[in-house]
Amino acid sequence: MNSQDLLKRLDDDRIEFLWVAYHDYNGRACAKTIPKRNFAEVVEGGVVFARANLEFGVDDHMAADGIWQAETGDFLALPDPDAYWKLPYIDNTAIVFCNMMTEDYRPFEGCPRGTLGRALEKYAARQISVTAALEAEFSLYTKTADGDYLPSRAGGMFTVAGLNQFADLMHDIVAALESMGVPVEQLGKEYGTSQFEFSTRYSDALAAADRYLISKEVTRALARKHGQIASHMPKPFAEHGGNGLHIHLSLFDADSGANLLAGTGLADPLSESGRHFVGGLMEHAPAICGVAAPTVNSYKRLQPASWAPAHIAWGVGNRGVLLRVPDVNQRCRVEYRAADNTCNPYLLLTALLSAGLDGIDAQADSGAPFNDDDVGHFSDAQLQDHGIEYLPRTLPVALDALENDAVLMAALAPVIGGEFLKVKRMELETYNLHVHPWERQMYLEVT
Ligand code: GLU
Ligand code: MG
């Protein structure tokens, strides 16, 4: 669609309010609502936001050392007509995702969507097309009178009982997304307490990130209508399963459509490019964590032997590794399992694809696959014997790894990498200064 098509669509859909949205470095959807009278102006010219908005953490505190401050002006959020959806649960309202532009309509270098676009251009220049599918887990809660969160009991793993209990909500989510033109692949009851899993059909990488983000909004909004809080937080409770975001990546020859990752079968699961692509993802794995698992809570999920990876390894059909090859035939692809839903998916895909391409260029070695062992159960001696490293165990380690990774920082250059780190380190500092209830329980009476 072009801007004229979008205006016609707004008219046909009888839209009165258009939410013009972008995603900040925390992955939060930020928007202004625009009344019908201004549609033409905004669809052609965008909406003004302060650049300094990009220096904000999820607690709405601003990084004091950021390059964008009160005096550094604005960017324009320019609607992408291909990222438009009518919201079926709010009357006469639609949302559109934007590219960030400078005030003289050049691409703004702080734009996460634009950054992914640049990473994809590098593949396009080599006649490689990239498809992605994002698979998100979330769990349902209600709030108690004292403000705590209570997991909503919902059957066991993949049970009909679990689906049955929230069938109205799940069907509302699926029906809403299908009506919006977002093809749902599956929605099922997962194994964590009150946990569900949602996936949209694979598509080109930018559309995959867009569809994932809109699905998340729809899930949360409809859950509220059903009296539930849908949370994608990585590890809401220590004793319950975590919520992951698994990213399936495929590379195809843009001309012939041939699968560029596929090898010849189980004995030789990946092509030479595939092995290098996986090698690149392994080599840059610590730094990727800074983008993929960017909160303190993320590292409470990435525990050994939890089906969420804690080590750097790959394997075929193995849910205990960081990089799973789910299928060795024509649907051969690589599933990255360390990400969670606190990431910005545009930045995550940029990091993953840049690491993979570096692996192809540098002919990085993937090493041997682990098909039959959950490496999370390996002893330290076994890990050492097999040369398996841990992923970062905490956020500061991951952020330092990102800062020191020239390939990833170049992919996020010239400004996003640095500002992202400032926002995240500010969040980390808040956490470090906070006295957590656990500390009182642990130390107050024994000292
Ligand atoms: N919940 C697990 C995670 O945090 C993944 C479970 C699965 O394989 O679907 O990544
Ligand atoms: Mg799952």
Side-chain angles (χ1 to χ4, degrees):
M1 287 209 290
N2 60 27
S3 53
Q4 287 311 311
D5 299 331
L6 176 55
L7 285 170
K8 179 166 182 327
R9 190 69 195 278
L10 286 162
D11 205 41
D12 291 349
D13 287 348
R14 299 176 195 283
I15 299 303
E16 301 285 336
F17 303 99
L18 178 62
W19 295 5
V20 175
Y22 69 88
H23 292 85
D24 72 5
Y25 299 161
N26 307 293
R28 290 191 301 181
C30 303
K32 290 181 187 173
T33 184
I34 305 298
K36 189 173 178 176
R37 179 170 27 81
N38 294 344
F39 283 176
E41 193 182 320
V42 159
V43 165
E44 303 282 354
V47 171
V48 165
F49 289 90
R51 291 184 182 197
N53 290 7
L54 297 170
E55 304 286 2
F56 279 71
V58 285
D59 59 356
D60 274 354
H61 283 106
M62 186 177 161
D65 53 349
I67 58 170
W68 296 307
Q69 298 289 324
E71 71 284 5
T72 52
D74 301 325
F75 66 82
L76 291 165
L78 188 66
D80 177 348
D82 289 326
Y84 161 88
W85 301 277
K86 180 179 186 324
L87 297 175
Y89 47 87
I90 307 179
D91 289 343
N92 307 108
T93 302
I95 189 167
V96 66
F97 292 171
C98 296
N99 291 313
M100 299 173 184
M101 312 300 281
T102 62
E103 284 164 298
D104 54 356
Y105 293 102
R106 283 175 295 113
F108 173 52
E109 50 204 17
C111 177
R113 239 174 150 250
T115 296
L116 174 56
R118 286 195 291 282
L120 289 168
E121 275 165 22
K122 297 205 176 110
Y123 280 85
R126 294 156 195 246
Q127 318 302 325
I128 300 175
S129 63
V130 180
T131 64
L134 279 63
E135 192 185 309
E137 292 167 335
F138 63 93
S139 33
L140 297 177
Y141 301 88
T142 50
K143 218 166 177 172
T144 61
D146 57 5
D148 210 348
Y149 297 96
L150 198 65
S152 309
R153 293 273 152 199
M157 176 179 79
F158 292 107
T159 55
V160 169
L163 264 186
N164 195 37
Q165 196 170 337
F166 286 100
D168 289 349
L169 169 57
M170 298 307 149
H171 291 174
D172 275 3
I173 294 171
V174 175
L177 287 165
E178 291 279 332
S179 83
M180 295 161 74
V182 178
V184 175
E185 187 76 2
Q186 295 178 352
L187 208 177
K189 172 71 192 64
E190 262 273 358
Y191 65 59
T193 307
S194 83
Q195 189 182 53
F196 291 81
E197 181 185 275
F198 176 88
S199 49
T200 49
R201 194 161 175 70
Y202 68 89
S203 57
D204 73 80
L206 185 68
D210 288 342
R211 287 173 178 179
Y212 155 72
L213 287 166
I214 192 63
S215 307
K216 210 165 123 178
E217 295 306 328
V218 168
T219 301
R220 291 181 340 150
L222 290 175
R224 288 221 179 250
K225 284 201 184 270
H226 285 255
Q228 296 288 318
I229 297 166
S231 175
H232 298 76
M233 181 176 168
K235 192 79 174 174
F237 289 89
E239 63 276 23
H240 297 163
N243 291 314
L245 172 64
H246 299 161
I247 314 287
H248 295 250
L249 295 170
S250 307
L251 305 185
F252 296 101
D253 184 300
D255 297 323
S256 68
N259 185 330
L260 296 177
L261 296 178
T264 53
L266 190 55
D268 192 15
L270 294 173
S271 66
E272 198 180 322
S273 301
R275 286 197 300 277
H276 296 325
F277 183 77
V278 166
L281 289 169
M282 291 175 73
E283 193 172 312
H284 296 285
I288 296 171
C289 272
V291 181
T295 61
V296 288
N297 188 251
S298 301
Y299 294 86
K300 298 179 180 174
R301 167 180 162 255
L302 297 174
Q303 296 301 321
S306 69
W307 289 35
H311 302 93
I312 304 172
W314 75 282
V316 177
N318 184 348
R319 289 186 169 80
V321 291
L322 171 67
L323 296 155
R324 177 172 77 119
V325 177
D327 190 315
V328 291
N329 301 307
Q330 220 12 59
R331 292 182 65 232
C332 179
R333 61 196 185 279
V334 173
E335 178 194 38
Y336 174 82
R337 293 175 62 85
D340 66 58
N341 300 280
T342 58
C343 76
N344 176 312
Y346 304 115
L347 300 184
L348 171 60
L349 287 167
T350 302
L352 291 171
L353 293 172
S354 305
L357 196 61
D358 182 58
I360 292 175
D361 286 346
Q363 306 199 337
D365 183 9
S366 62
F370 289 85
N371 300 346
D372 304 319
D373 292 298
D374 180 345
V375 300
H377 286 294
F378 278 5
S379 65
D380 282 349
Q382 281 174 300
L383 291 172
Q384 210 166 13
D385 281 353
H386 290 291
I388 297 175
E389 309 264 356
Y390 272 93
L391 285 170
R393 307 293 295 133
T394 60
L395 180 61
V397 174
L399 295 179
D400 288 351
L402 173 61
E403 185 169 32
N404 292 323
D405 188 303
V407 169
L408 260 65
M409 288 305 277
L412 300 173
V415 287
I416 294 181
E419 300 321 292
F420 173 85
L421 286 167
K422 287 174 195 167
V423 171
K424 286 293 152 187
R425 284 182 171 143
M426 172 181 64
E427 181 178 321
L428 184 58
E429 188 65 9
T430 312
Y431 176 80
N432 286 341
L433 292 177
H434 188 79
V435 179
H436 302 266
W438 180 89
E439 294 174 72
R440 276 189 290 280
Q441 269 157 28
M442 195 74 174
Y443 310 120
L444 194 139
E445 290 201 48
V446 298
T447 51

